[in-house]
């Protein structure tokens, strides 16, 4: 009997958990080794990043787009979908200003920056480590965000001259540009790449600037999957005519894309990647006892687990007593930390907490979903800082 999609994804996640557990154990061994005991945190961080990179290079042939997964079929379907839309969707259809150029008034500079963002995203298949792939996404998004800021600064200067005002660049303006960049670039194996990052990158290192932009890319892919005339500044009849013309121009879809459609597979990375990682992050595998510091653009710094014991029964009993004391202290600190939360916007929308697949999302909910993510990330950051402060007392 053929495996279900859930069973296949569970098999892939089991492999990913094994990789993450190995890296956790290796990190713990490094903390305890005399050669690394006096090393600075940055040195340990770079060494562990290098270890992850080396390992992923060695196993990339089985870890990337695993044969038991649906990644290849989803890649084919998503690539075909983007190819169709890229033939007729223009910046104006996504409410991107600046006439026909997303770069605004300075057409030459805007065109150069726009092509640069596309090239950065296309580099993603040139790398085998999750961190390197995330950096490609980060660089693409930074180029787009800088481009957006320059455009808005030009608009603000004009408004000040006429007595008007303006606000800073935000997610409402950024996401359409990322969507259009994905349509322009259409990198092969896009879904496999983001699922690879989700499976093998440490959850702590996804809570960073690069992780924020990765979430934006998830939203862009989910939007592309559901895109229709209602989501664009386009008449329904025109959308259907353009889509039909694009399909005729491209010819029959590849067999893998047809198979994905027949199985009803979602094109979004959320469906297969986010749910298993959520279970893993909440306590699935890999207990090396590693602590994290503050986040950086690449995903946070490694921190020591404390003084390493010499082993033996006495050391184990002492470690157990210390663990119990630390747990009690952590519980007290957590209770006081929760009382300090005052995040604007309130609790996450219950609908998103219950959503099991990107297919259940509506296009109009993407912005609210992104705001929820930002609010939860802010709460998590505040909790970490408060706990660190209370635990140090």
């Amino acid at each position: 009997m053929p495996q279900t999609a859930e069973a296949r994804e569970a098999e892939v996640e089991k492999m990913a958990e094994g990789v993450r557990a190995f890296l956790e154990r290796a990190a713990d061994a490094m903390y305890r080794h005399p050669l690394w005991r006096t090393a600075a945190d940055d040195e340990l961080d770079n060494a562990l990043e290098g270890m992850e990179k080396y390992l992923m290079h060695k196993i990339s042939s089985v870890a990337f787009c695993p044969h038991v997964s649906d990644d290849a079929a989803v890649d084919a379907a998503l690539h075909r979908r983007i190819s169709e839309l890229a033939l007729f969707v223009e910046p104006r259809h996504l409410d991107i200003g600046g006439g026909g150029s997303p770069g605004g008034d300075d057409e030459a500079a805007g065109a150069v920056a726009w092509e640069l963002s596309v090239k950065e995203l296309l580099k993603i298949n040139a790398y085998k480590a999750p961190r390197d792939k995330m950096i490609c996404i980060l660089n693409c998004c930074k180029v787009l965000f800088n481009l957006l800021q320059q455009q808005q600064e030009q608009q603000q200067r004009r408004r000040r001259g006429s007595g008007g005002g303006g606000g800073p660049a935000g997610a409402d303006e950024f996401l359409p540009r990322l969507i259009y960049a994905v349509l322009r670039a259409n990198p092969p194996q896009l879904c496999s790449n983001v699922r690879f990052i989700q499976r093998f990158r440490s959850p702590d290192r996804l809570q960073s600037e690069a992780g924020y932009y990765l979430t934006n890319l998830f939203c862009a892919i989910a939007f592309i999957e559901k895109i229709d005339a209602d989501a664009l500044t386009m008449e329904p009849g025109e959308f259907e005519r353009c889509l039909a013309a694009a399909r005729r121009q491209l010819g029959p879809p590849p067999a893998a894309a047809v198979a994905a459609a027949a199985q009803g597979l979602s094109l979004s990375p959320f469906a297969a990647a986010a749910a298993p990682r959520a279970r893993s992050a909440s306590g699935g595998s890999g207990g090396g006892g590693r602590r994290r510091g503050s986040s950086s653009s690449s995903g946070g710094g490694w921190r020591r687990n404390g003084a390493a014991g010499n082993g033996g029964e006495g050391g184990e009993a002492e470690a157990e007593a210390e663990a119990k004391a630390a747990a009690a202290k952590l519980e007290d600190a957590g209770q006081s930390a929760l009382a300090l939360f005052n995040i604007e916007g309130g609790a996450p929308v219950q609908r998103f907490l219950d959503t099991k697949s990107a297919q259940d999302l509506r296009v109009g909910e993407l912005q609210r979903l992104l705001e929820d993510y930002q609010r939860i990330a802010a709460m998590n950051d505040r909790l970490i800082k408060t706990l660190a402060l209370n635990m140090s007392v």
Side-chain angles (χ1 to χ4, degrees), residues 305-337:
N305 194 26
N310 293 324
E313 295 181 1
E316 291 178 0
E318 182 180 351
E320 183 177 356
E322 290 178 354
K324 290 181 179 179
K329 192 173 183 179
L330 180 61
E331 183 176 355
D332 294 339
Q335 293 297 326
S336 61

Side-chain angles (χ1 to χ4, degrees), residues 1-13:
M1 175 182 288
Q3 286 182 308
T4 63
E6 292 77 10
R8 291 194 296 271
E9 186 57 36
E11 186 174 342
V12 175
E13 181 59 21

Side-chain angles (χ1 to χ4, degrees), residues 9 87 124 135 176 263 295 303 306 312 317 321 329 343 349 352 387:
E9 186 57 36
L87 289 176
I124 195 169
I135 289 176
Q263 297 176 51
S295 295
R303 293 294 181 265
K329 192 173 183 179
I343 304 297
V349 177
F352 297 149
L387 288 176

Side-chain angles (χ1 to χ4, degrees), residues 56-333:
M56 298 316 300
H57 269 258
K58 291 296 185 181
I59 67 171
S60 63
S61 60
V62 294
F64 183 82
C65 193
H67 71 279
V68 296
S69 71
D70 297 319
D71 293 3
V74 174
D75 283 331
L78 180 60
H79 194 271
R80 170 70 182 205
R81 174 69 169 169
I82 294 175
S83 298
E84 294 170 354
L85 296 171
L87 289 176
F88 65 91
V89 174
E90 300 176 5
R92 60 188 175 87
H93 296 138
L94 293 165
D95 295 327
I96 298 175
S101 168
D105 296 332
D106 190 347
E107 296 287 339
V112 170
W114 195 253
E115 290 302 320
L116 179 60
S117 70
V118 170
K119 288 179 180 179
E120 289 296 328
L121 189 56
L122 286 171
K123 290 178 181 178
I124 195 169
N125 284 307
Y127 299 95
K128 296 182 179 180
R131 178 181 181 272
D132 294 338
K133 291 179 180 292
M134 283 188 71
I135 289 176
C136 294
I137 297 170
L138 173 67
N139 290 341
C140 168
C141 291
K142 280 192 168 183
V143 171
L144 291 174
F145 198 81
N146 290 338
L147 195 60
L148 175 59
Q149 285 186 317
Q150 292 173 8
Q151 180 183 2
Q152 294 200 338
E153 287 172 1
Q154 293 172 357
Q155 294 174 349
Q156 289 172 17
R157 284 195 294 269
R158 289 198 301 270
R159 288 169 182 166
R160 282 195 295 268
S162 59
D172 287 343
E173 296 83 13
F174 171 75
L175 187 57
R177 285 161 173 79
L178 180 57
I179 292 169
Y180 191 67
V182 173
L183 294 178
R184 288 277 300 271
N186 194 9
Q189 298 181 299
L190 179 57
C191 191
S192 286
N193 276 289
V194 292
R195 287 183 177 181
F196 179 75
I197 294 170
Q198 278 287 91
R199 288 164 180 157
F200 295 101
R201 189 66 170 160
S202 166
D204 293 327
R205 288 181 175 261
L206 294 176
Q207 298 176 15
S208 60
E209 182 185 18
Y212 166 75
Y213 285 128
L214 179 65
T215 301
N216 275 268
L217 181 58
F218 283 175
C219 293
I221 295 173
F223 181 87
I224 289 170
E225 179 184 12
K226 297 290 187 180
I227 200 169
D228 56 16
D230 293 336
L232 300 173
T233 306
M234 179 182 284
E235 293 296 327
E238 181 187 2
F239 177 84
E240 294 299 332
R241 286 193 300 272
C242 291
L243 184 59
R247 287 172 175 171
R248 287 194 301 270
Q249 181 177 339
L250 292 172
V258 175
Q263 297 176 51
L265 299 178
S266 172
L267 307 188
S268 172
F270 278 120
R277 290 310 303 275
R279 294 194 298 271
S280 175
S282 64
S285 71
R290 189 174 63 190
R291 288 184 185 172
R292 299 285 182 173
S294 58
S295 295
S296 68
S297 62
S298 62
W302 300 80
R303 293 294 181 265
R304 284 181 175 78
N305 194 26
N310 293 324
E313 295 181 1
E316 291 178 0
E318 182 180 351
E320 183 177 356
E322 290 178 354
K324 290 181 179 179
K329 192 173 183 179
L330 180 61
E331 183 176 355
D332 294 339

